[in-house]
mmCIF file of all heavy atoms in Angstrom:
data_model
loop_
_atom_site.group_PDB
_atom_site.id
_atom_site.type_symbol
_atom_site.label_atom_id
_atom_site.label_comp_id
_atom_site.label_asym_id
_atom_site.label_seq_id
_atom_site.Cartn_x
_atom_site.Cartn_y
_atom_site.Cartn_z
ATOM 1 N N THR H 293 27.555 10.380 -16.152
ATOM 2 C CA THR H 293 26.380 10.385 -17.016
ATOM 3 C C THR H 293 25.719 11.759 -16.954
ATOM 4 O O THR H 293 25.965 12.529 -16.022
ATOM 5 C CB THR H 293 25.399 9.261 -16.593
ATOM 6 O OG1 THR H 293 24.359 9.181 -17.547
ATOM 7 C CG2 THR H 293 24.797 9.517 -15.230
ATOM 8 N N THR H 294 24.910 12.059 -17.994
ATOM 9 C CA THR H 294 24.192 13.333 -18.019
ATOM 10 C C THR H 294 22.720 13.049 -17.755
ATOM 11 O O THR H 294 22.141 12.123 -18.339
ATOM 12 C CB THR H 294 24.341 13.990 -19.409
ATOM 13 O OG1 THR H 294 25.742 14.137 -19.672
ATOM 14 C CG2 THR H 294 23.679 15.362 -19.429
ATOM 15 N N ILE H 295 22.109 13.833 -16.882
ATOM 16 C CA ILE H 295 20.713 13.563 -16.513
ATOM 17 C C ILE H 295 19.765 13.996 -17.632
ATOM 18 O O ILE H 295 19.833 15.129 -18.117
ATOM 19 C CB ILE H 295 20.345 14.286 -15.207
ATOM 20 C CG1 ILE H 295 21.229 13.759 -14.074
ATOM 21 C CG2 ILE H 295 18.865 14.108 -14.883
ATOM 22 C CD1 ILE H 295 20.869 14.289 -12.714
ATOM 23 N N ASP H 296 18.924 13.041 -18.066
ATOM 24 C CA ASP H 296 17.851 13.353 -19.013
ATOM 25 C C ASP H 296 16.594 12.614 -18.537
ATOM 26 O O ASP H 296 16.609 11.989 -17.467
ATOM 27 C CB ASP H 296 18.253 12.936 -20.438
ATOM 28 C CG ASP H 296 18.628 11.460 -20.516
ATOM 29 O OD1 ASP H 296 18.377 10.718 -19.528
ATOM 30 O OD2 ASP H 296 19.164 11.030 -21.555
ATOM 31 N N ASP H 297 15.517 12.690 -19.314
ATOM 32 C CA ASP H 297 14.257 12.057 -18.891
ATOM 33 C C ASP H 297 14.429 10.559 -18.651
ATOM 34 O O ASP H 297 13.844 9.995 -17.725
ATOM 35 C CB ASP H 297 13.163 12.284 -19.945
ATOM 36 C CG ASP H 297 12.592 13.697 -19.838
ATOM 37 O OD1 ASP H 297 13.044 14.453 -18.950
ATOM 38 O OD2 ASP H 297 11.701 14.033 -20.650
ATOM 39 N N ALA H 298 15.225 9.916 -19.510
ATOM 40 C CA ALA H 298 15.403 8.462 -19.368
ATOM 41 C C ALA H 298 16.089 8.135 -18.037
ATOM 42 O O ALA H 298 15.716 7.173 -17.354
ATOM 43 C CB ALA H 298 16.222 7.931 -20.542
ATOM 44 N N TYR H 299 17.086 8.956 -17.658
ATOM 45 C CA TYR H 299 17.777 8.757 -16.374
ATOM 46 C C TYR H 299 16.782 8.925 -15.213
ATOM 47 O O TYR H 299 16.754 8.122 -14.274
ATOM 48 C CB TYR H 299 18.921 9.762 -16.258
ATOM 49 C CG TYR H 299 19.630 9.800 -14.908
ATOM 50 C CD1 TYR H 299 20.773 9.032 -14.664
ATOM 51 C CD2 TYR H 299 19.164 10.616 -13.877
ATOM 52 C CE1 TYR H 299 21.422 9.076 -13.439
ATOM 53 C CE2 TYR H 299 19.809 10.672 -12.644
ATOM 54 C CZ TYR H 299 20.932 9.901 -12.428
ATOM 55 O OH TYR H 299 21.576 9.947 -11.216
ATOM 56 N N LEU H 300 15.940 9.968 -15.303
ATOM 57 C CA LEU H 300 14.977 10.234 -14.221
ATOM 58 C C LEU H 300 13.992 9.072 -14.100
ATOM 59 O O LEU H 300 13.649 8.635 -12.997
ATOM 60 C CB LEU H 300 14.225 11.548 -14.490
ATOM 61 C CG LEU H 300 15.094 12.802 -14.475
ATOM 62 C CD1 LEU H 300 14.275 14.030 -14.875
ATOM 63 C CD2 LEU H 300 15.720 13.026 -13.091
ATOM 64 N N ARG H 301 13.568 8.548 -15.237
ATOM 65 C CA ARG H 301 12.638 7.420 -15.232
ATOM 66 C C ARG H 301 13.296 6.193 -14.598
ATOM 67 O O ARG H 301 12.691 5.505 -13.773
ATOM 68 C CB ARG H 301 12.221 7.131 -16.678
ATOM 69 C CG ARG H 301 11.158 6.105 -16.848
ATOM 70 C CD ARG H 301 10.729 6.069 -18.305
ATOM 71 N NE ARG H 301 9.527 6.846 -18.503
ATOM 72 C CZ ARG H 301 8.307 6.346 -18.378
ATOM 73 N NH1 ARG H 301 8.135 5.086 -18.044
ATOM 74 N NH2 ARG H 301 7.249 7.093 -18.571
ATOM 75 N N ARG H 302 14.562 5.953 -14.970
ATOM 76 C CA ARG H 302 15.275 4.804 -14.377
ATOM 77 C C ARG H 302 15.440 5.002 -12.882
ATOM 78 O O ARG H 302 15.343 4.058 -12.113
ATOM 79 C CB ARG H 302 16.657 4.641 -15.029
ATOM 80 C CG ARG H 302 16.634 4.059 -16.421
ATOM 81 C CD ARG H 302 18.019 3.531 -16.832
ATOM 82 N NE ARG H 302 19.094 4.534 -16.764
ATOM 83 C CZ ARG H 302 19.372 5.416 -17.723
ATOM 84 N NH1 ARG H 302 18.658 5.433 -18.828
ATOM 85 N NH2 ARG H 302 20.368 6.269 -17.581
ATOM 86 N N ALA H 303 15.692 6.249 -12.465
ATOM 87 C CA ALA H 303 15.875 6.515 -11.028
ATOM 88 C C ALA H 303 14.619 6.095 -10.258
ATOM 89 O O ALA H 303 14.696 5.605 -9.135
ATOM 90 C CB ALA H 303 16.184 7.990 -10.794
ATOM 91 N N LEU H 304 13.447 6.269 -10.883
ATOM 92 C CA LEU H 304 12.188 5.946 -10.200
ATOM 93 C C LEU H 304 11.836 4.460 -10.267
ATOM 94 O O LEU H 304 11.215 3.920 -9.358
ATOM 95 C CB LEU H 304 11.042 6.760 -10.812
ATOM 96 C CG LEU H 304 11.128 8.265 -10.537
ATOM 97 C CD1 LEU H 304 10.228 9.043 -11.480
ATOM 98 C CD2 LEU H 304 10.759 8.544 -9.086
ATOM 99 N N LEU H 305 12.233 3.813 -11.360
ATOM 100 C CA LEU H 305 11.823 2.417 -11.545
ATOM 101 C C LEU H 305 12.874 1.413 -11.091
ATOM 102 O O LEU H 305 12.551 0.358 -10.565
ATOM 103 C CB LEU H 305 11.498 2.162 -13.021
ATOM 104 C CG LEU H 305 10.288 2.920 -13.554
ATOM 105 C CD1 LEU H 305 10.076 2.619 -15.025
ATOM 106 C CD2 LEU H 305 9.038 2.558 -12.751
ATOM 107 N N GLU H 306 14.149 1.756 -11.336
ATOM 108 C CA GLU H 306 15.231 0.819 -10.988
ATOM 109 C C GLU H 306 16.306 1.575 -10.222
ATOM 110 O O GLU H 306 17.427 1.744 -10.715
ATOM 111 C CB GLU H 306 15.871 0.250 -12.255
ATOM 112 C CG GLU H 306 14.926 -0.400 -13.219
ATOM 113 C CD GLU H 306 15.624 -0.633 -14.557
ATOM 114 O OE1 GLU H 306 16.378 -1.619 -14.645
ATOM 115 O OE2 GLU H 306 15.450 0.195 -15.464
ATOM 116 N N PRO H 307 15.981 2.076 -9.038
ATOM 117 C CA PRO H 307 16.908 2.978 -8.356
ATOM 118 C C PRO H 307 18.254 2.337 -8.010
ATOM 119 O O PRO H 307 19.232 3.046 -7.881
ATOM 120 C CB PRO H 307 16.141 3.392 -7.101
ATOM 121 C CG PRO H 307 15.035 2.410 -6.958
ATOM 122 C CD PRO H 307 14.732 1.879 -8.310
ATOM 123 N N GLY H 308 18.323 1.009 -7.909
ATOM 124 C CA GLY H 308 19.607 0.377 -7.567
ATOM 125 C C GLY H 308 20.579 0.360 -8.736
ATOM 126 O O GLY H 308 21.765 0.080 -8.564
ATOM 127 N N ARG H 309 20.111 0.663 -9.937
ATOM 128 C CA ARG H 309 20.952 0.473 -11.118
ATOM 129 C C ARG H 309 22.043 1.528 -11.212
ATOM 130 O O ARG H 309 23.197 1.218 -11.510
ATOM 131 C CB ARG H 309 20.053 0.517 -12.362
ATOM 132 C CG ARG H 309 20.721 -0.064 -13.549
ATOM 133 C CD ARG H 309 19.698 -0.395 -14.599
ATOM 134 N NE ARG H 309 20.129 0.153 -15.883
ATOM 135 C CZ ARG H 309 19.373 0.191 -16.963
ATOM 136 N NH1 ARG H 309 18.136 -0.258 -16.914
ATOM 137 N NH2 ARG H 309 19.838 0.682 -18.071
#
Side-chain angles (χ1 to χ4, degrees):
T293 187
T294 303
I295 298 186
D296 56 11
D297 282 359
Y299 173 93
L300 295 175
R301 186 172 262 271
R302 285 197 303 276
L304 292 163
L305 294 179
E306 305 167 80
R309 197 162 131 189

